[in-house]
């Protein structure tokens, strides 16, 4: 079977800073991959480049999604091909409510019942008429991001630090939402996949990840079992990973 | 009994003295160009308007069938063509032309040219010396009509100077909603609209006033507005200008005279073509514990020039609180916005006045955020722009709301 995502020798810069330095990466349909790494290592740059944000300038290399070269496609085209992202810190969009956003993204009313249930489960009923992310707490932002992705239904979800700014109680809620988004709470949907960035690894208690990677200095190193990697990081930090490149 | 001749002649003398006085702001208009006078007959219903006039009226929020309206007032050029009070609201309010009200009530002396200074400039003078009606709406004490009164001031011919004088009185404990549209039925009409508005909100009264202006490239507009709000009264004003205009200059004043009075101005302006737009709001906080808020959203496209002014003037001995929020987006490198907020405390020791003013582009990160959700760039800009303008005005028909969004969508492309 063809790989869902294939990244070849990817070099990316932001302004005059090199953020990715020759990344090779691939994953299959249905996989959940975790990215670990110190601050500034290039984790967010990697998923933002995959999504196609223009400030992440691809200098060299290729990105293939579902067999198609998407390196030169814009955000909108990539979203329509099946890529979606949950931001760590999404921008505030005053005047555009969460309700409006969901209305625009929903193509038909067929899923309305399901949508209401998602809104209730994510405790967002009271946030629908507020500007997107306007005055949202960390946890509310994460839940709002996941709700939007539930409407968008991307095949490959890129999630940037789902635990950051979320209290312990709400991490379970976020974890459940991710599982629901990926169809993991039901019969496994072989097509929905994810790349999740985590600092703390808390999310591993809720999400059954297949592979883990450590990102160091603009590259992906140390592929392995995500729990083993987390335990290694907890013991020795990221230093050993940098050394074993 | 009519208003006294003595008072009318005093008004005339003051107006005569000001008839060459230039306005403080905006380009000076040669009023001698606009001398056309056309008398028009009454119509039985709003459906009796010409097709062009009907279309223009609808686009300013007028409901031709008068559904969900407590009454209607329609003026074409210099003539009052229609006035109607829905039977269900008889005894709650009255609607007539200001000319008729001056003939009917001698107490109009307490309201006519009592808020707006007749000698403010040549435009107030012209409106006093050559008044061509305007609406008079009075809601009786403690009455709260469920639906708004609608009024439409339409110019249908060239070289008209429409000099209307509008007076609204909200008596003690009463509430009133008014939706008014000022417009042209000929898109190339050349002329001027001088609108004097004096609104009085008595103790505990509420006035919710929405005005939609739809002008065109050859038309000048000089409204002069004062609102006097007594104790516990409140005034809310929504103003929308989304079509080109040759020039418009207005600086309405809310005078919060009584304790606990409040005023809020929401202004939405979309500058198109080479429009010259100089708009603002001034809130004078004189009563104790008065509150004011002024929110302006402006977008300058094409070669438009927009002045967005806001004055908060505290004069109270007690506490008062007021805030100005003035934001603009420039869509074109040939357009200009000037945001001019001004806070004045005249010995008001306990006054809290604040403002935030900003001019900036649509944030790229917001557009990209929406695009990452599968929304096209054009739609993202349009959604963000509509959200910025915050067009959430009650009683505006859905199709009008849609039309406003289409205008935004068409011009938002410039911002891409």
């Amino acid at each position: 079977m063809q790989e869902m995502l294939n990244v070849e020798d990817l070099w990316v810069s932001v302004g005059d800073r090199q953020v990715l330095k020759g990344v090779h990466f691939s994953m299959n349909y249905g996989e959940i991959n975790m990215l670990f790494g110190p601050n500034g290592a290039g984790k967010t740059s990697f998923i933002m480049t995959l999504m196609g944000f223009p400030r992440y300038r691809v200098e060299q290399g290729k990105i293939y999604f579902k067999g198609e070269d998407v390196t030169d496609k814009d955000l909108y085209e990539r979203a329509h091909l099946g890529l979606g992202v949950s931001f760590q810190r999404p921008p505030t969009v005053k005047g555009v409510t969460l309700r409006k956003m969901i209305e625009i993204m929903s193509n038909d009313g067929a899923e309305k019942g399901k949508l209401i249930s998602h809104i209730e489960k994510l405790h967002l009923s009271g946030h629908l008429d507020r500007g997107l992310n306007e005055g949202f707490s960390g946890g509310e932002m994460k839940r709002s991001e996941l709700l939007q992705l539930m409407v968008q239904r991307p095949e490959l979800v890129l999630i940037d630090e789902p635990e950051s700014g979320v209290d312990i109680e709400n991490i379970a809620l976020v974890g459940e939402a991710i599982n629901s988004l990926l169809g993991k709470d039901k019969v496994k949907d072989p097509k929905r996949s994810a790349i999740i960035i985590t600092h703390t690894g808390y999310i591993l208690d809720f999400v059954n990840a297949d592979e883990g990677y450590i990102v160091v200095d603009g590259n992906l190193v140390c592929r392995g079992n995500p729990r083993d990697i987390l335990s290694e990081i907890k013991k020795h930090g990221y230093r050993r990973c940098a050394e074993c490149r | 009994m009519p208003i006294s001749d003595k008072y009318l002649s005093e008004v005339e003398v003051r107006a005569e003295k000001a008839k060459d006085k230039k306005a403080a702001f905006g380009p000076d208009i040669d009023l001698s160009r606009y001398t056309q006078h056309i008398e028009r007959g009454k119509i039985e219903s709003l459906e009796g308007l010409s097709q062009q006039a009907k279309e223009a009226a609808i686009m300013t929020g007028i409901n031709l069938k008068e559904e969900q309206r407590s009454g209607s007032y329609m003026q074409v050029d210099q003539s009052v063509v229609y006035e109607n009070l829905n039977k269900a609201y008889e005894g709650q309010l009255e609607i007539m032309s200001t000319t008729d009200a001056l003939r009917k009530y001698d107490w109009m002396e307490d309201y006519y040219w009592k808020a707006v200074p007749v000698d403010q400039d040549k435009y107030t003078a012209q409106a006093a010396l050559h008044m061509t009606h305007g609406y008079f709406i009075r809601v009786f004490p403690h009455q709260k009509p469920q639906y708004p009164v609608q009024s439409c001031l339409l110019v249908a011919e060239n070289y008209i100077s429409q000099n209307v004088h509008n007076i609204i009185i909200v008596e003690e404990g009463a509430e009133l909603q008014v939706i008014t549209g000022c417009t042209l039925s000929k898109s190339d009409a050349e002329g001027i609209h001088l609108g004097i508005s004096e609104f009085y909100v008595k103790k505990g009264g509420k006035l919710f006033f929405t005005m939609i202006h739809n002008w065109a490239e050859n038309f000048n507009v000089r409204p002069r507005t004062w609102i006097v709000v007594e104790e516990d009264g409140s005034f809310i004003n929504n103003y929308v200008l989304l079509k080109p205009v040759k020039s418009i200059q207005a600086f309405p004043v809310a005078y919060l005279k009584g304790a606990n009075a409040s005023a809020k101005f929401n202004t939405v302006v979309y500058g198109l073509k080479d429009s010259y737009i100089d708009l603002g709001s001034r809130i004078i906080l004189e009563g104790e514990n008065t509150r004011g808020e002024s929110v302006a959203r402006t977008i300058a496209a094409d070669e438009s020039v927009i002045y967005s002014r806001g004055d908060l003037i505290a004069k109270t001995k007690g506490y008062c609180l007021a805030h100005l929020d003035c934001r603009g987006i420039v869509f074109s490198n040939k357009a200009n916005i000037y945001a001019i907020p001004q806070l004045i405390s005249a010995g008001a020791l306990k006054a809290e006045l604040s403002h935030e003013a900003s001019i900036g582009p649509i944030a790229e990160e917001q557009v990209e955020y929406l695009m990452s959700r599968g929304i096209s760039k054009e739609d993202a800009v349009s959604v963000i722009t509509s959200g910025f303008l915050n067009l959430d005005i009650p009683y505006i028909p859905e199709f009008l709301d849609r039309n406003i969004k289409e205008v935004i969508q068409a011009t938002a492309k410039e911002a891409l």
Side-chain angles (χ1 to χ4, degrees):
Chain A
M1 194 181 175
Q2 192 186 47
E3 286 158 334
M4 182 183 225
L5 180 70
N6 193 16
V7 174
E8 292 176 358
D9 192 27
L10 191 64
W11 291 76
V12 172
S13 63
V14 174
D16 54 6
R17 200 163 54 92
Q18 194 76 52
V19 290
L20 297 180
K21 301 170 183 173
V23 172
H24 288 271
F25 176 83
S26 66
M27 66 186 285
N28 288 320
Y29 288 90
E31 272 186 15
I32 299 180
N33 288 325
M34 309 297 290
L35 301 183
F36 303 93
N39 288 333
K43 304 182 295 297
T44 298
S45 297
F46 181 52
I47 65 169
M48 291 294 159
T49 306
L50 293 179
M51 191 67 228
F53 283 90
R55 72 187 276 259
Y56 297 86
R57 206 175 61 250
V58 175
E59 292 176 337
Q60 192 181 311
K62 291 281 178 196
I63 302 166
Y64 297 94
F65 179 59
K66 298 193 294 185
E68 191 171 340
D69 182 355
V70 297
T71 319
D72 297 322
K73 293 199 183 299
D74 72 12
L75 279 158
Y76 168 72
E77 292 170 303
R78 293 190 204 195
H80 276 266
L81 279 170
L83 279 159
V85 65
S86 164
F87 282 67
Q88 189 193 350
R89 275 186 295 270
T92 300
V93 190
K94 283 185 179 175
V96 179
T97 61
L98 180 56
R99 186 190 301 280
K100 177 81 190 166
M101 191 69 177
I102 288 167
E103 273 171 18
I104 298 167
M105 292 168 71
S106 317
N107 293 322
D108 52 64
E111 299 277 314
K112 208 171 177 181
K114 218 184 230 176
L115 184 59
I116 292 168
S117 142
H118 289 320
I119 292 167
E120 282 169 2
K121 268 190 203 155
L122 288 165
H123 304 160
L124 286 168
S125 310
H127 295 70
L128 291 173
D129 294 315
R130 279 164 63 175
L132 272 178
N133 306 312
E134 196 175 352
F136 284 18
S137 70
E140 288 162 352
M141 276 184 198
K142 295 287 165 359
R143 273 145 44 206
S144 153
E145 290 289 288
L146 292 170
L147 176 65
Q148 292 172 54
L149 289 174
M150 281 170 175
V151 180
Q152 188 181 351
R153 294 182 62 74
E155 290 173 54
L156 172 56
V157 194
L158 311 164
I159 306 176
D160 196 351
E161 294 201 33
E163 321 96 322
S164 75
V166 182
D167 57 51
I168 296 282
E169 258 180 86
N170 277 303
I171 286 180
L173 192 63
V174 168
E176 275 171 35
I178 293 173
N179 280 326
S180 168
L181 177 63
L182 299 173
K184 306 293 181 193
D185 55 343
K186 301 188 188 92
V187 181
K188 189 167 175 170
D189 181 347
K191 273 191 162 179
R192 303 208 179 271
S193 317
I195 299 175
I196 303 173
I197 296 174
T198 180
H199 253 300
T200 62
Y202 290 145
I203 203 69
L204 282 170
D205 293 341
F206 306 95
V207 175
N208 194 12
D210 298 292
E211 296 280 353
Y213 293 83
I214 295 185
V215 182
V216 178
D217 191 23
N219 226 317
L220 270 62
V221 294
C222 294
R223 177 181 173 186
N225 179 301
R227 288 181 181 281
D228 292 345
I229 289 179
L230 182 64
S231 133
E232 179 67 20
I233 295 166
K234 279 181 177 167
K235 272 189 228 154
H236 304 288
Y238 296 109
R239 185 175 41 84
R240 287 249 299 245
C241 308
E243 283 166 3
C244 86
R245 288 173 75 179
Chain B
M1 200 164 54
I3 191 167
S4 73
D5 287 341
K6 183 173 169 278
Y7 182 70
L8 288 177
S9 59
E10 279 168 18
V11 165
E12 207 176 306
V13 169
R14 285 176 66 203
E16 276 291 342
K17 283 183 188 159
K19 68 181 186 185
D20 296 317
K21 187 176 167 186
K22 287 184 182 173
F25 302 116
D28 188 50
I29 312 285
D30 176 8
L31 295 172
S32 67
R33 287 174 60 81
Y34 310 115
T35 52
Q36 179 78 266
H37 192 97
I38 297 168
E39 279 299 327
R40 295 177 185 276
K42 297 263 185 192
I43 50 173
E44 288 296 310
S45 77
L46 292 172
E47 299 282 3
L49 290 165
S50 72
Q51 193 54 33
Q52 272 184 320
K54 272 198 264 193
E55 283 168 16
I58 288 170
M59 295 317 289
T60 60
I62 298 302
N63 185 315
L64 296 177
K65 293 195 169 92
E66 301 184 67
E67 289 161 344
Q68 297 193 326
R69 299 290 187 262
S70 59
S72 303
Y73 176 91
M74 176 93 203
Q75 186 162 339
V76 178
D77 297 326
Q78 285 108 345
S79 308
V80 181
V81 298
Y82 185 72
E83 47 190 56
N84 177 49
L85 174 65
N86 186 328
K87 276 200 178 335
Y89 298 96
E90 278 174 9
Q92 291 193 33
L93 71 158
E94 59 182 333
I95 302 169
M96 66 187 84
S97 71
T98 302
T99 330
D100 284 345
L102 293 173
R103 281 190 206 114
K104 193 171 176 182
Y105 299 125
D106 59 351
W107 47 255
M108 279 294 278
E109 213 170 298
D110 299 335
Y111 303 97
Y112 179 68
W113 291 116
K114 283 292 173 174
V116 176
V118 66
D119 52 3
Q120 181 175 320
D121 53 37
K122 64 200 270 190
Y123 309 112
T124 52
Q126 162 110 339
L129 296 170
H130 307 284
M131 175 184 170
T132 55
H133 309 292
Y135 54 79
F136 169 79
I137 305 166
R138 177 173 164 246
V139 54
F140 303 138
H142 307 289
Q143 298 299 322
K144 297 172 184 176
Q146 184 189 0
Y147 291 119
V149 173
Q150 60 180 3
S151 88
C152 183
L153 305 169
L154 183 138
V155 174
E157 281 304 325
N158 274 317
Y159 304 108
I160 296 269
S161 178
Q162 189 182 52
N163 311 326
V164 292
H165 194 132
N166 309 308
I167 293 178
I168 296 176
I169 302 170
V170 177
E171 296 284 6
E172 191 170 321
E175 287 183 21
L176 178 68
Q177 302 169 64
V178 176
I179 175 161
T180 180
C182 302
T183 188
L184 306 173
S185 61
K186 276 169 75 171
S187 62
D188 60 349
E190 191 179 331
I192 190 163
H193 168 89
L194 303 176
I196 309 301
S197 296
E198 297 184 286
F199 302 160
Y200 300 88
V201 182
K202 303 283 183 71
K203 189 180 174 182
K206 276 189 188 150
L207 175 59
F208 189 104
F209 186 83
T210 296
M211 179 183 271
I212 296 165
H213 271 181
N214 280 347
W215 306 110
E217 287 100 293
N218 298 321
F219 209 81
N220 293 296
V221 187
R222 294 292 183 275
R224 298 289 179 258
T225 303
W226 272 70
I227 306 100
V228 180
V229 189
E230 293 184 1
E231 189 180 345
D232 296 323
S234 71
F235 171 70
I236 296 168
N237 185 82
N238 290 310
Y239 175 82
V240 182
L241 172 69
L242 300 165
K243 289 224 171 146
V245 61
K246 186 176 175 67
S247 78
I248 181 167
Q249 187 273 314
F251 206 165
V253 181
Y255 172 39
L256 304 181
K257 192 177 168 190
N260 308 312
S262 67
K264 182 173 184 188
F265 286 91
N266 295 310
T267 305
V268 173
V269 172
Y270 204 110
L272 292 164
K273 300 194 177 168
D274 60 352
S275 299
Y276 183 99
I277 298 164
D278 187 334
L279 292 168
S281 64
R282 177 176 287 155
I283 302 176
I284 302 171
L285 302 109
E286 192 172 275
E288 289 193 14
N289 202 28
T290 43
R291 277 156 208 270
E293 190 181 1
S294 183
V295 178
R297 296 285 179 269
T298 54
I299 291 182
D302 304 328
E303 295 177 31
S304 62
V305 174
I306 302 177
Y307 285 83
S308 179
R309 301 179 194 272
D311 284 5
L312 301 177
I313 305 171
K315 293 182 170 180
T316 177
K317 289 191 181 74
Y319 176 75
C320 73
L321 177 69
H323 182 68
L324 271 175
D325 176 356
C326 169
R327 291 180 209 179
I329 299 178
V330 176
F331 266 8
S332 140
N333 59 11
K334 290 179 180 161
N336 293 291
I337 294 181
Y338 303 83
I340 310 170
Q342 183 170 243
L343 311 181
I344 301 169
S345 176
L349 293 173
K350 295 178 188 165
E352 281 188 30
L353 307 178
S354 59
H355 80 81
E356 50 185 315
S358 66
I359 300 173
I362 289 182
E364 216 161 301
E365 65 164 3
Q366 294 181 0
V367 176
E368 289 170 4
Y369 181 57
L370 267 61
M371 285 175 76
S372 76
R373 299 283 187 247
I375 298 167
S376 71
K377 190 170 190 176
E378 228 166 76
D379 286 346
V381 170
S382 167
V383 167
I384 294 166
T385 308
S386 299
F388 168 81
L389 291 176
N390 194 19
L391 291 159
D392 188 13
I393 298 162
Y395 294 104
I396 287 195
E398 203 182 309
F399 72 88
L400 180 58
D401 194 46
R402 217 167 36 237
N403 173 267
I404 291 166
K405 289 188 175 90
E406 278 166 18
V407 171
I408 292 168
Q409 188 135 25
T411 50
K413 284 178 191 160
E414 288 182 61
L416 298 177

